[in-house]
Amino acid sequence: RKEVEQDPGPFNVPEGATVAFNCTYSNSASQSFFWYRQDCRKEPKLLMSVYSSGNEDGRFTAQLNRASQYISLLIRDSKLSDSATYLCVVNDWGSARQLTFGSGTQLTVLP
Amino acid sequence: DAGVIQSPRHEVTEMGQEVTLRCKPISGHDYLFWYRQTMMRGLELLIYFNNNVPIDDSGMPEDRFSAKMPNASFSTLKIQPSEPRDSAVYFCASSSRDRSYEQYFGPGTRLTVT
């Protein structure tokens, strides 16, 4: 089983739609959670950290369910510029500061 | 503030040649990471440093790969000799305790070995 599993997609949605991505992680000791976005042929960029209470940044809402080891990202009123690959990322503390990346979910927002 | 800087942005080389990739982390960050990304394998962590000291190199594919961090503002990833299967995008990233270990990536080096 992969350490971080994501909906593979691709998701093709019309502009203005709401879209949700899901992610599960296998290590119950994981401490930090992030969503990154990666545009084609570019580097991954931090979209938002995910906090235990859930958090919102404009049109983006992230949720964490530690009991189910589940993370979600909701994008409301999607824009053409939201088209990218979204990476679910988990950090296990302790002696390491490594990030474990999911394989990504590809989103295309259509005009 | 400048982000993570990598050079070169593109490298095309012949099999057997030595390749050196360079990275300058964000000033003040004490962790530096080298990743490799391919379509088949996704994003893989190769090695990371803390305060210039290599902490975990278990992701380094084989002895042909080596990485150094002689000071807080510079790191290199070397492949010698290079092989076609090393073709990938190599990213450098840095992070800091002060920013909850969020990692910031450089633009990457696209390596093609022919």
Side-chain angles (χ1 to χ4, degrees), chain A residues 36 38 43 49 96-98, chain B residues 37 48 56 101-103 106:
Chain A
Y36 279 69
Q38 185 171 23
E43 72 273 23
S49 300
R97 291 295 178 261
Q98 303 176 24
Chain B
Q37 187 174 39
Y48 80 95
D56 185 349
Y101 302 104
E102 296 166 349
Q103 288 186 20

Side-chain angles (χ1 to χ4, degrees), chain A residues 32 34 36 38 41-44 46 49 51 87 91 93 95-99 101, chain B residues 31 33 35 37 43 45 48 55-56 91 100-108 110:
Chain A
S32 301
F34 309 93
Y36 279 69
Q38 185 171 23
R41 301 177 76 84
K42 299 282 189 179
E43 72 273 23
L46 178 66
S49 300
Y51 303 120
L87 302 164
N91 174 230
W93 286 13
S95 59
R97 291 295 178 261
Q98 303 176 24
L99 297 183
F101 286 77
Chain B
Y31 284 86
F33 304 80
Y35 291 89
Q37 187 174 39
L43 199 59
L45 176 66
Y48 80 95
I55 302 301
D56 185 349
F91 290 108
S100 301
Y101 302 104
E102 296 166 349
Q103 288 186 20
Y104 295 87
F105 284 72
R110 187 170 297 275

Side-chain angles (χ1 to χ4, degrees), chain A residues 13-89:
Chain A
V13 302
E15 212 173 351
T18 295
V19 60
F21 304 137
N22 304 314
C23 168
T24 57
Y25 59 96
S26 60
N27 187 349
S28 59
S30 298
Q31 296 289 336
S32 301
F33 309 89
F34 309 93
W35 284 101
Y36 279 69
R37 69 170 278 168
Q38 185 171 23
D39 293 279
C40 187
R41 301 177 76 84
K42 299 282 189 179
E43 72 273 23
K45 290 186 177 177
L46 178 66
L47 178 65
M48 57 197 303
S49 300
V50 185
Y51 303 120
S52 295
S53 55
N55 48 301
E56 187 174 308
D57 183 3
R59 298 181 293 107
F60 298 84
T61 300
Q63 295 282 347
L64 168 64
N65 184 323
R66 286 187 184 272
S68 302
Q69 294 179 204
Y70 171 92
I71 307 161
S72 65
L73 177 68
L74 184 77
I75 305 175
R76 291 181 299 279
D77 187 24
S78 52
K79 312 291 185 190
L80 297 177
S81 57
D82 295 333
S83 298
T85 297
Y86 289 82
L87 302 164
C88 176
V89 185

Side-chain angles (χ1 to χ4, degrees), chain B residues 48-64:
Chain B
Y48 80 95
F49 295 83
N50 177 217
N51 292 323
N52 314 338
V53 176
I55 302 301
D56 185 349
D57 65 354
S58 60
M60 296 285 261
E62 48 199 271
D63 292 345
R64 296 184 298 106

